[in-house]
Amino acid sequence: MRNWRFKEIVVMAALSVVFAVVYLAFLPAGKLLVGLFGPIGYDLIFGIWFIVSIIAAYIIRKPGAAFLSETIAAMVEVMIGNATGPMLLIAGMIQGIGAEAAFAATKWKNYATWVLMAAGVGSAITSFTYGYFMSGYAVLSTNYVIAMFITRMVSGALIAGLLGKALSDGLAQTGVLSSFALGKAHQKRNAA
Amino acid sequence: MKAFIQVDQLRLRFDNQFKKDTLSNLSFELNHGESLLLLGPSGCGKSTLTFCLNGLYPRELDGEMDGNILINGKRTTEFLPGELSQQVGVVFQDPETQFCMLTIEDEVAFGLENRCIPQAIMGDKIDYALELVGMLSLKKAAVTSLSGGQKQKLALACILALEPSLLILDEPTANLDPIAAKDLIQTIHQLQEKTNCSLIIIEHQLDGWTALAERCLLLNHDGEIFYDGLMRHAIRDKFSELETQGIWLPKVTQFLLNHVDGTTANIPLTIDEFSKQANLWEGTNWQQNEKQLGTKKEKLFLEATNISWKANKKEIIQNISLKFYEGEFIAIVGANGSGKTSLSRILAGIQKPTAGTIHMKDKPMKTWKESYLRDEIGYVFQNPEHQFVTNTVFDEAAFSLRIKGMDEHDIHKKVASILNTCGLSSSKQQHPYSLSQGQKRRLSVATMIINNQHMLLLDEPTFGQDAHSNVQLMELLQTRFYHGTSIVMVTHDMELVNQYASRVIVINEGKVVSDCSPADLWQVSAEQLTQWQIDLPISIQLEKIYEKEANYVSTPS
Amino acid sequence: MFLHRLNPSIKAITIALIVVLLAFIFDPITPFIFLIGTIAITFIFGNVEWKKYILYFIPFSILSFGMLWTTIAFSTPSNNPNDVITLLGMTFPRASFLTALALSLRILSVAALSLLFIFTTNVVDFILSLIQQLKLPPKIAYGVLAGYRFLPMMKDELVIIHQAHRIRGINTAHTIKDKWHQYKRFAIPLLASAIRKAERTAIAMESKGFTGDKNRTFYRHFSIVKRDWLFPFMMLLLFSLAVLTSLKLGYI
């Protein structure tokens, strides 16, 4: 935490707050999809629940951003008082670890599109493992479980990875990120 | 004895602003208990200087800084992080974003906790600070329950609890309405008498402050000091520079300079000063805005009949009926929370009233198709950023034309001409968010008049802008007005009302309490106006004082 | 009330522990008993409005019911298809029905635990206790508190942005591409303003001497007293009783 500026932490927290609300907003959508397709319905849009990891890490570019932002988002969801409570906190941390692992593998140096997508997949893997035990996917048929898993990874890569990147880049264009790593990278590119 | 604060050859440059120093070669001193007004145009580095003084820079700076700042003879860089907060306290502009706790006592305690004050004495210190700003009774209240003015007082209390020797106020009234601003200034007056701390006041709007601080430090666009001395002398010696830099003068001073030829020496800075020498201003033409804004109430444009609006079970708008004609310049005024913004939104068709009907061009508002409605009425929000939907200024102006499927060649012609009118031609390719506050407002206006809308509503269009931007915006609106657009603006600024409006509507507690010409409104009794929280414009105030004093003098004594 | 005065960290850890324990339970009786017990504890030891409680509980019930039927529908084919349960005129394999019931009751138990926490804990108290008892770095804790304050502002802002966009003549999106653009148009101003506010808040906090240093005093001091241990004891006892009863009835 030593090399984090306080400003970066508050901004990360603010992003987490925004996405905590977004996460809650997508819960009914998830429930609807589950109603239509069964448990796999959630997996179709599961990537949305990883997005703040990717955005925070891509903007701030410091070790821990992916993990912390997802954890805080979960914490805020709990505080809003409309979520699955402490269990969600653990779920958030586990998702965060998955994304963080992908960034860690590049020693927090590389923020190319494929790394962001890999981070989305990372969250999908850890969250699925957790879900497998917590929600008892074990009772479901193996083929169905595999289909869920693949769907979630694709969703993680596309929704969290690609969408997260597009949003962050849009934000960088406005100039509000000028004192953050992503904003500085943009400025350099524009100046060159 | 050495000065309390010594700034020596301070120079600062941000990494992202190539080749330009934000502050250059700044040197000044400040003694214990001394007060200083720091003035300059928007973006001249006033806030940057604040961060240098409280030690945030160079620690948090993306850029370089040289020169020295000494506080009690010790360099700011030699203080430990956080330590300087007991010497230098800052109250910032935005009342919303200075807090991190949910209740008032917790918020005041936060600073004390940072400084490791033992818990046993914290309670007394919190009470002391809240007492100073007169908010002790609200100790247990939630921060969200406070008004903007109270929030600024709380921010002040948080700083006072740390008992700093220097208090920096960085545009503390910029986001407050005039009544709250007056109240805050009053509080600071009392405070200075009690604590004797040094003050640095950074402001656009000078009224009320000049009595507190005689000395001023003037910065120009390049971040250099161009004057350090008494405000009075600055007006005498540096008048033209003050004007070119767009620095606001006190309203009294500005008015007299505009309306009386001759000397700038010995000019009054406050109403009090003026009344002491009122008889010197004989022959002043108090009312000389020849407004040709004739109200030709011929063609009815918009008619609201018995409209009411409820939100959270509270009746915000109560049974209002109003008629708006083509070719009017209307101001809607009233206290904060009186319902003026809500009314303007209902009139623009953004908000549906809970009861009553609105007719536009004799057709009920409900039956207008949204896209046609927007060709008739434009609305400029208080924060223009909310309205921006594209990535460049040009696209922003072209947006609604493109929705209509207009030919791209015609769009270019039309957009170029509108941007030219709004003084934005040179920023065509910039991102709307990167514009200055004043430019953002003008862009917002541009997007709302591009279809030659008949009526333009604006919610506090001059809020938080410097003098230059204000003039530019009002000129723009006036031009539109002469081209046939009706203007309706919600405002607190009675100078604007007096200068531009042909009709003024006063809202109080959700009802229309007055609907007349500005001249007629100024004749209403003082008690009544105070109750509506309306200040007289400066020219009227001065005229009244002059008449009173002059009569007094003329009676033989 | 006991639950309100309870140390928030102890409360949180206890609940998290029980949630983990519940994950190892696959019979319906244990979570059922536990659920009843938890709700009883909430109302006996806490001052909770039952109307509000039910309002919050309903979504969980729906979720749990969804879980019930999907688990039955998608579960692995049973080993002895003759062992069935008939309910409301439909027949289900006994084993998958019981597992499904167990899973949905587990969701409800977790929900009851969460609601117990949410309805009896003050957010600020919780975070302050996390700093004081669980050594959460103040830098993060106060960052979160600052961020949390933005929540109501953002809600207001979202409404305004929506109105502001309508006035620009943005119509409802139909294609997916349009929808994405619309979301982006909403998201960017909201995020941009959140980021600016966050930056300003951070500066204001640092100006008040905040450094993130662990060495600070507290106006509101939280400590763990003997009475606090009563809660984990009570909850574990309840859990054990539930498990034992289920064992007796032969469900485990």
Side-chain angles (χ1 to χ4, degrees), chain B residues 270-290:
Chain B
T270 62
I271 301 263
D272 279 349
E273 280 177 35
F274 174 81
S275 46
K276 282 183 197 132
Q277 41 153 290
N279 53 336
L280 296 180
W281 300 95
E282 206 182 324
T284 307
N285 184 4
W286 301 107
Q287 290 298 322
Q288 59 176 29
N289 340 305
E290 327 61 42

Side-chain angles (χ1 to χ4, degrees), chain B residues 242-261:
Chain B
L242 278 167
E243 266 198 327
T244 47
Q245 296 295 334
I247 297 176
W248 291 89
L249 295 176
K251 279 183 200 156
V252 183
T253 320
Q254 190 68 58
F255 177 84
L256 292 173
L257 288 172
N258 286 351
H259 291 78
V260 182
D261 297 331

Side-chain angles (χ1 to χ4, degrees), chain B residues 152-168:
Chain B
Q152 278 307 57
K153 282 191 188 171
L154 172 60
L156 188 61
C158 292
I159 302 302
L160 293 172
L162 295 169
E163 297 169 57
S165 319
L166 169 64
L167 186 58
I168 302 178

